[in-house]
Amino acid sequence: MSDSFASARPLEQTVFDEWPANVRALFDGSALRDKAGFTASLLSVDANGHVRTSLLSVGELYAPDSRTLCVALWPQARATRAIAQSGRAALSFVWDAAFYQVQLRVAPLPGVDGDDSGLVYLLGSIDTAEAQSVRYARLTSGIMFELQGEESAVLERWERQVERLKRAAAASSR
């Protein structure tokens, strides 16, 4: 392989076990309206070996500290059942021109008070994680969405969900 070919494909890979500052800011539970459209893919493997995916917004994710991630999922989602069986999941997303994949150890998050949403709340801790980018191409988005019709109601629901995640995360760290 020629040197010019090798330099044309320089993969930049960063391994981490704590959220980088830019990602922690993404999952800090603030300015949800400004972050609407962001989508992360939560992957898990069920007992039959099938990969299950839940697409999540910033209204379903909250990082209370540098090593954890709280997640709100619908109980009927196949990924929810798969995570309950295995205690593991991977979160994949594109942010700030990089592709992230975070391997999580996941457990139920106790202490969610006043919740009538029916959601299941989980606490994930980073097992291993990496970010990848290349110099010759800038990732501009991953899976994105646009709120339609009920934007205010969705944003209000997200605010309530993230507040519950924050309270539960605070209670679990005591």
Side-chain angles (χ1 to χ4, degrees):
M1 177 177 354
S2 74
D3 287 336
S4 63
F5 182 72
S7 64
R9 297 181 45 185
L11 174 67
E12 294 180 27
Q13 185 173 5
T14 305
V15 177
F16 60 91
D17 62 1
E18 292 189 4
W19 295 115
N22 64 329
V23 176
R24 179 104 187 266
L26 174 64
F27 299 142
D28 69 1
S30 70
L32 297 178
R33 179 179 300 279
D34 297 339
K35 299 170 187 175
F38 169 84
T39 307
S41 180
L42 187 70
L43 304 159
S44 57
V45 178
D46 70 15
N48 295 321
H50 297 121
V51 175
R52 301 299 180 191
T53 303
S54 288
L55 298 178
L56 304 173
S57 70
V58 292
E60 295 148 331
L61 301 166
Y62 170 64
D65 60 48
S66 64
R67 294 181 182 256
T68 59
L69 183 69
C70 299
V71 180
L73 292 175
W74 295 106
Q76 66 271 26
R78 291 179 293 182
T80 304
R81 290 190 299 273
I83 292 167
Q85 293 168 352
S86 70
R88 306 213 27 103
L91 188 76
S92 298
F93 57 93
V94 172
W95 189 248
D96 278 351
F99 172 75
Y100 289 84
Q101 187 160 63
V102 182
Q103 303 294 322
L104 299 166
R105 295 180 192 272
V106 185
L109 181 58
V112 180
D113 298 326
D115 183 28
D116 57 359
S117 69
L119 293 171
V120 172
Y121 296 95
L122 304 171
L123 180 64
S125 59
I126 297 174
D127 186 16
T128 62
E130 62 184 43
Q132 297 178 3
S133 62
V134 291
R135 290 187 188 117
Y136 63 86
R138 185 180 186 288
L139 290 172
T140 58
S141 70
I143 301 168
M144 298 292 292
F145 69 91
E146 184 176 289
L147 292 173
Q148 296 182 357
E150 299 181 21
E151 180 178 357
S152 293
V154 171
L155 289 168
E156 287 174 20
R157 178 172 49 88
W158 286 0
E159 292 284 346
R160 287 190 307 271
Q161 288 170 188
V162 170
E163 285 306 313
R164 289 179 186 122
L165 288 171
K166 287 178 179 180
R167 287 193 312 266
S172 73
S173 66
R174 291 183 196 141

PDB file of all heavy atoms in Angstrom, residues 59-77:
ATOM      1  N   GLY A  59     -34.993  13.342  24.721  1.00  0.00           N
ATOM      2  CA  GLY A  59     -36.021  13.312  25.752  1.00  0.00           C
ATOM      3  C   GLY A  59     -36.116  11.983  26.461  1.00  0.00           C
ATOM      4  O   GLY A  59     -36.924  11.817  27.379  1.00  0.00           O
ATOM      5  N   GLU A  60     -35.302  11.022  26.057  1.00  0.00           N
ATOM      6  CA  GLU A  60     -35.297   9.696  26.670  1.00  0.00           C
ATOM      7  C   GLU A  60     -33.927   9.307  27.200  1.00  0.00           C
ATOM      8  O   GLU A  60     -33.717   8.170  27.617  1.00  0.00           O
ATOM      9  CB  GLU A  60     -35.781   8.675  25.639  1.00  0.00           C
ATOM     10  CG  GLU A  60     -37.221   8.920  25.274  1.00  0.00           C
ATOM     11  CD  GLU A  60     -37.579   8.553  23.849  1.00  0.00           C
ATOM     12  OE1 GLU A  60     -36.722   8.607  22.959  1.00  0.00           O
ATOM     13  OE2 GLU A  60     -38.753   8.240  23.643  1.00  0.00           O
ATOM     14  N   LEU A  61     -32.992  10.254  27.180  1.00  0.00           N
ATOM     15  CA  LEU A  61     -31.618   9.996  27.590  1.00  0.00           C
ATOM     16  C   LEU A  61     -31.155  11.109  28.531  1.00  0.00           C
ATOM     17  O   LEU A  61     -31.422  12.285  28.292  1.00  0.00           O
ATOM     18  CB  LEU A  61     -30.699   9.970  26.363  1.00  0.00           C
ATOM     19  CG  LEU A  61     -31.034   8.923  25.305  1.00  0.00           C
ATOM     20  CD1 LEU A  61     -30.283   9.219  24.005  1.00  0.00           C
ATOM     21  CD2 LEU A  61     -30.705   7.533  25.811  1.00  0.00           C
ATOM     22  N   TYR A  62     -30.431  10.721  29.574  1.00  0.00           N
ATOM     23  CA  TYR A  62     -29.896  11.694  30.520  1.00  0.00           C
ATOM     24  C   TYR A  62     -28.620  11.134  31.132  1.00  0.00           C
ATOM     25  O   TYR A  62     -28.612  10.028  31.667  1.00  0.00           O
ATOM     26  CB  TYR A  62     -30.922  12.010  31.611  1.00  0.00           C
ATOM     27  CG  TYR A  62     -30.354  12.819  32.751  1.00  0.00           C
ATOM     28  CD1 TYR A  62     -29.882  14.109  32.546  1.00  0.00           C
ATOM     29  CD2 TYR A  62     -30.260  12.276  34.028  1.00  0.00           C
ATOM     30  CE1 TYR A  62     -29.339  14.838  33.587  1.00  0.00           C
ATOM     31  CE2 TYR A  62     -29.725  13.001  35.074  1.00  0.00           C
ATOM     32  CZ  TYR A  62     -29.263  14.285  34.845  1.00  0.00           C
ATOM     33  OH  TYR A  62     -28.718  15.003  35.868  1.00  0.00           O
ATOM     34  N   ALA A  63     -27.544  11.906  31.054  1.00  0.00           N
ATOM     35  CA  ALA A  63     -26.262  11.510  31.652  1.00  0.00           C
ATOM     36  C   ALA A  63     -26.065  12.300  32.943  1.00  0.00           C
ATOM     37  O   ALA A  63     -25.705  13.478  32.907  1.00  0.00           O
ATOM     38  CB  ALA A  63     -25.118  11.777  30.686  1.00  0.00           C
ATOM     39  N   PRO A  64     -26.304  11.672  34.113  1.00  0.00           N
ATOM     40  CA  PRO A  64     -26.172  12.389  35.376  1.00  0.00           C
ATOM     41  C   PRO A  64     -24.724  12.643  35.789  1.00  0.00           C
ATOM     42  O   PRO A  64     -24.454  13.510  36.605  1.00  0.00           O
ATOM     43  CB  PRO A  64     -26.861  11.465  36.378  1.00  0.00           C
ATOM     44  CG  PRO A  64     -26.713  10.107  35.789  1.00  0.00           C
ATOM     45  CD  PRO A  64     -26.775  10.305  34.297  1.00  0.00           C
ATOM     46  N   ASP A  65     -23.820  11.880  35.213  1.00  0.00           N
ATOM     47  CA  ASP A  65     -22.398  12.059  35.510  1.00  0.00           C
ATOM     48  C   ASP A  65     -21.589  11.571  34.326  1.00  0.00           C
ATOM     49  O   ASP A  65     -22.140  11.229  33.285  1.00  0.00           O
ATOM     50  CB  ASP A  65     -22.013  11.350  36.818  1.00  0.00           C
ATOM     51  CG  ASP A  65     -22.273   9.855  36.780  1.00  0.00           C
ATOM     52  OD1 ASP A  65     -21.888   9.193  35.793  1.00  0.00           O
ATOM     53  OD2 ASP A  65     -22.870   9.337  37.737  1.00  0.00           O
ATOM     54  N   SER A  66     -20.294  11.507  34.480  1.00  0.00           N
ATOM     55  CA  SER A  66     -19.400  11.231  33.353  1.00  0.00           C
ATOM     56  C   SER A  66     -19.367   9.765  32.912  1.00  0.00           C
ATOM     57  O   SER A  66     -18.806   9.469  31.863  1.00  0.00           O
ATOM     58  CB  SER A  66     -17.981  11.674  33.698  1.00  0.00           C
ATOM     59  OG  SER A  66     -17.479  10.905  34.778  1.00  0.00           O
ATOM     60  N   ARG A  67     -19.967   8.858  33.678  1.00  0.00           N
ATOM     61  CA  ARG A  67     -19.867   7.433  33.334  1.00  0.00           C
ATOM     62  C   ARG A  67     -21.199   6.710  33.182  1.00  0.00           C
ATOM     63  O   ARG A  67     -21.218   5.517  32.922  1.00  0.00           O
ATOM     64  CB  ARG A  67     -19.047   6.701  34.402  1.00  0.00           C
ATOM     65  CG  ARG A  67     -17.611   7.139  34.429  1.00  0.00           C
ATOM     66  CD  ARG A  67     -16.845   6.357  35.491  1.00  0.00           C
ATOM     67  NE  ARG A  67     -15.483   6.802  35.550  1.00  0.00           N
ATOM     68  CZ  ARG A  67     -14.463   6.126  35.033  1.00  0.00           C
ATOM     69  NH1 ARG A  67     -14.655   4.998  34.429  1.00  0.00           N
ATOM     70  NH2 ARG A  67     -13.245   6.595  35.124  1.00  0.00           N
ATOM     71  N   THR A  68     -22.306   7.418  33.353  1.00  0.00           N
ATOM     72  CA  THR A  68     -23.594   6.734  33.306  1.00  0.00           C
ATOM     73  C   THR A  68     -24.553   7.396  32.331  1.00  0.00           C
ATOM     74  O   THR A  68     -24.361   8.538  31.914  1.00  0.00           O
ATOM     75  CB  THR A  68     -24.253   6.653  34.703  1.00  0.00           C
ATOM     76  OG1 THR A  68     -24.433   7.976  35.194  1.00  0.00           O
ATOM     77  CG2 THR A  68     -23.419   5.856  35.673  1.00  0.00           C
ATOM     78  N   LEU A  69     -25.596   6.648  32.004  1.00  0.00           N
ATOM     79  CA  LEU A  69     -26.655   7.145  31.129  1.00  0.00           C
ATOM     80  C   LEU A  69     -27.970   6.552  31.605  1.00  0.00           C
ATOM     81  O   LEU A  69     -28.103   5.334  31.727  1.00  0.00           O
ATOM     82  CB  LEU A  69     -26.406   6.730  29.680  1.00  0.00           C
ATOM     83  CG  LEU A  69     -27.423   7.253  28.666  1.00  0.00           C
ATOM     84  CD1 LEU A  69     -27.278   8.770  28.516  1.00  0.00           C
ATOM     85  CD2 LEU A  69     -27.236   6.573  27.325  1.00  0.00           C
ATOM     86  N   CYS A  70     -28.924   7.421  31.893  1.00  0.00           N
ATOM     87  CA  CYS A  70     -30.271   6.991  32.241  1.00  0.00           C
ATOM     88  C   CYS A  70     -31.094   6.978  30.960  1.00  0.00           C
ATOM     89  O   CYS A  70     -30.968   7.875  30.121  1.00  0.00           O
ATOM     90  CB  CYS A  70     -30.896   7.944  33.250  1.00  0.00           C
ATOM     91  SG  CYS A  70     -29.988   8.044  34.796  1.00  0.00           S
ATOM     92  N   VAL A  71     -31.947   5.954  30.843  1.00  0.00           N
ATOM     93  CA  VAL A  71     -32.720   5.751  29.630  1.00  0.00           C
ATOM     94  C   VAL A  71     -34.176   5.501  29.992  1.00  0.00           C
ATOM     95  O   VAL A  71     -34.463   4.761  30.934  1.00  0.00           O
ATOM     96  CB  VAL A  71     -32.173   4.532  28.840  1.00  0.00           C
ATOM     97  CG1 VAL A  71     -32.962   4.298  27.566  1.00  0.00           C
ATOM     98  CG2 VAL A  71     -30.684   4.685  28.542  1.00  0.00           C
ATOM     99  N   ALA A  72     -35.080   6.111  29.239  1.00  0.00           N
ATOM    100  CA  ALA A  72     -36.513   5.852  29.389  1.00  0.00           C
ATOM    101  C   ALA A  72     -36.974   5.088  28.150  1.00  0.00           C
ATOM    102  O   ALA A  72     -36.763   5.547  27.025  1.00  0.00           O
ATOM    103  CB  ALA A  72     -37.284   7.164  29.509  1.00  0.00           C
ATOM    104  N   LEU A  73     -37.574   3.910  28.380  1.00  0.00           N
ATOM    105  CA  LEU A  73     -38.041   3.067  27.270  1.00  0.00           C
ATOM    106  C   LEU A  73     -39.496   2.662  27.480  1.00  0.00           C
ATOM    107  O   LEU A  73     -39.960   2.560  28.618  1.00  0.00           O
ATOM    108  CB  LEU A  73     -37.210   1.778  27.181  1.00  0.00           C
ATOM    109  CG  LEU A  73     -35.758   1.887  26.772  1.00  0.00           C
ATOM    110  CD1 LEU A  73     -35.091   0.516  26.860  1.00  0.00           C
ATOM    111  CD2 LEU A  73     -35.641   2.424  25.363  1.00  0.00           C
ATOM    112  N   TRP A  74     -40.167   2.374  26.393  1.00  0.00           N
ATOM    113  CA  TRP A  74     -41.511   1.823  26.485  1.00  0.00           C
ATOM    114  C   TRP A  74     -41.414   0.362  26.898  1.00  0.00           C
ATOM    115  O   TRP A  74     -40.575  -0.382  26.378  1.00  0.00           O
ATOM    116  CB  TRP A  74     -42.239   1.965  25.152  1.00  0.00           C
ATOM    117  CG  TRP A  74     -42.477   3.394  24.794  1.00  0.00           C
ATOM    118  CD1 TRP A  74     -41.826   4.119  23.845  1.00  0.00           C
ATOM    119  CD2 TRP A  74     -43.405   4.279  25.426  1.00  0.00           C
ATOM    120  NE1 TRP A  74     -42.287   5.412  23.843  1.00  0.00           N
ATOM    121  CE2 TRP A  74     -43.264   5.534  24.795  1.00  0.00           C
ATOM    122  CE3 TRP A  74     -44.332   4.137  26.453  1.00  0.00           C
ATOM    123  CZ2 TRP A  74     -44.023   6.643  25.154  1.00  0.00           C
ATOM    124  CZ3 TRP A  74     -45.095   5.240  26.809  1.00  0.00           C
ATOM    125  CH2 TRP A  74     -44.938   6.471  26.165  1.00  0.00           C
ATOM    126  N   PRO A  75     -42.242  -0.099  27.831  1.00  0.00           N
ATOM    127  CA  PRO A  75     -42.126  -1.479  28.326  1.00  0.00           C
ATOM    128  C   PRO A  75     -42.415  -2.535  27.267  1.00  0.00           C
ATOM    129  O   PRO A  75     -41.876  -3.636  27.333  1.00  0.00           O
ATOM    130  CB  PRO A  75     -43.143  -1.540  29.467  1.00  0.00           C
ATOM    131  CG  PRO A  75     -44.083  -0.423  29.207  1.00  0.00           C
ATOM    132  CD  PRO A  75     -43.307   0.637  28.480  1.00  0.00           C
ATOM    133  N   GLN A  76     -43.235  -2.211  26.272  1.00  0.00           N
ATOM    134  CA  GLN A  76     -43.584  -3.201  25.257  1.00  0.00           C
ATOM    135  C   GLN A  76     -42.521  -3.341  24.169  1.00  0.00           C
ATOM    136  O   GLN A  76     -42.612  -4.252  23.340  1.00  0.00           O
ATOM    137  CB  GLN A  76     -44.951  -2.886  24.632  1.00  0.00           C
ATOM    138  CG  GLN A  76     -45.008  -1.613  23.826  1.00  0.00           C
ATOM    139  CD  GLN A  76     -45.365  -0.384  24.639  1.00  0.00           C
ATOM    140  OE1 GLN A  76     -45.126  -0.314  25.845  1.00  0.00           O
ATOM    141  NE2 GLN A  76     -45.925   0.623  23.985  1.00  0.00           N
ATOM    142  N   ALA A  77     -41.514  -2.482  24.166  1.00  0.00           N
ATOM    143  CA  ALA A  77     -40.463  -2.563  23.148  1.00  0.00           C
ATOM    144  C   ALA A  77     -39.664  -3.855  23.314  1.00  0.00           C
ATOM    145  O   ALA A  77     -39.315  -4.239  24.431  1.00  0.00           O
ATOM    146  CB  ALA A  77     -39.543  -1.352  23.254  1.00  0.00           C
TER     147      ALA A  77
END
